[in-house]
Amino acid sequence: GQREASCRTYAALMSDAPPIEQSIAALRHAAAALSQTDDLSTLFDTVGEQVMLVVPYHTLRLFLLDKETQELYPVAIRSVVDDADLAGLDDPRFRLPLGKGVTGSIAARGKAEVVYDLEEHPEAFHIPGTPRVEESMIGVPLVFQGRTLGVLTLSKHGLSQFSEHQLTLMEVLAVSITAAIEHRRSLEAEQRALEQEQRLHHLHTTFIANVSHELRTPLTTIKGFLELAKGKTTNGTAEIIEGAQRGAERLHSLIEDLLEIVSIEAGRQRLEPALHDLRDLLNKACERMRVSAERLDISGLPAEHQVFADRDRTTNILAELIENADKYGPDGGKIRVGVERRDATDIIEVSDDGNGIPPEQHEDIFSRFTQGDSSATRRRGGTGIGLSLARSLARWHGGDLVYDADAPRTTFRLTLPAPPESPTEA
């Protein structure tokens, strides 16, 4: 008798069901709404309106699963009846342990269900203080890649108010709802990661700037006393003083490089680009690094090639590349420099006769304080900040500095915007 009653009720519901075209249109509008907003309350109101067209309900609830506590908690409720129990979403009565109650059981099993009589359901439990009413329910778990995100429930006063057909419609819609929730969570996670990265970068930059400034003053004092001591020493101690001075100069150079990077990233400096002959900049770079001009092979350069760049900053970039080639290239090898203008870009290549940089180090060579040989017994000195600064200077110009892993020799490629075509543009 109960089965016959259920069949009659189902037949009545199907006779009142909207045409399939209307159902598909409503689901399509609901799915479209899910992709147009990341605000959960707006999303839920829009979906609720479309659901009402195909599956009339009294209350629509969206529960999400707290991964830490394994409890379902309501994040959105839409009701067309006056229900005082919906006033507070934070009411602890609405937090359901996974597997407890009808809603919790649907989430735990990961299987949608039509409940014709909620009070008589074997998993049902009554919340103290709430009235007992005859009620039907549809529960659809929201599952993404095997993970349960939550549950969508529809309830309606009266027995046998929903059909299997309506359950199927809600299962279809649940796919779009689940995708929208996962997308929203992914965006939130990306935003949190970005904010965390920005905070760490700010702390990192502030730390470098503060330490560098604090080191500047005592280092200047040390250099002054060393200079004073050098003028009063005998031949026996002069060499010791000169060694200490070289160490102080190296530390001073590191501090200046660090402050330069911080200033560039903070936007506190300005470029002064102008036309400069590339050969002149290379000669200045060799002088600065005390690299013999004979080691430099510029036979492939045009007699005159003008680059449009800040003179001092571009000289710094070239000096770093020449010093790197001199330091890591084989003794007596050549440092080759070539240039090509392509698509309004100057491409300057600096290479040596070395065997190249190991593939596992390609991603790290431009990181600060990174050495090709980071051991305590390495033969070559250096702070590991030169290439990082050189790349920052190149990008500040609107260009870039990269390592060419496909070149037959150890090769770095510097790109700079080509000179403007007219003095007005310059």
Side-chain angles (χ1 to χ4, degrees), residues 142-162:
L142 307 178
V143 181
F144 183 82
Q145 295 182 348
R147 294 181 293 109
T148 299
L149 304 185
V151 180
L152 182 70
T153 66
L154 293 84
S155 58
K156 190 173 183 181
H157 294 165
L159 304 180
S160 301
Q161 296 295 307
F162 297 114

Side-chain angles (χ1 to χ4, degrees), residues 47 74 84 139 166 198 250 255 325 383 406 425:
V47 171
Q166 291 171 325
Q198 290 173 339
R250 182 177 169 188
I255 291 172
T383 61
D406 297 324
E425 291 182 78

Side-chain angles (χ1 to χ4, degrees), residues 134-146:
E134 292 184 339
E135 193 172 17
S136 306
M137 190 186 94
I138 285 180
V140 183
L142 307 178
V143 181
F144 183 82
Q145 295 182 348

Side-chain angles (χ1 to χ4, degrees), residues 346-396:
D346 277 327
I347 304 171
I348 304 168
E349 289 190 349
V350 179
S351 62
D352 59 63
D353 294 325
N355 296 324
I357 298 172
E360 64 271 13
Q361 295 179 7
H362 290 176
E363 294 296 324
D364 298 327
I365 55 177
F366 292 103
S367 299
R368 298 172 194 175
F369 308 110
T370 298
Q371 290 274 350
D373 177 8
S374 58
S375 66
T377 59
R378 65 176 184 265
R379 296 186 298 111
R380 303 174 179 91
T383 61
I385 201 171
L387 286 175
S388 176
L389 175 58
R391 171 176 272 188
S392 294
L393 290 172
R395 290 179 173 176
W396 192 17

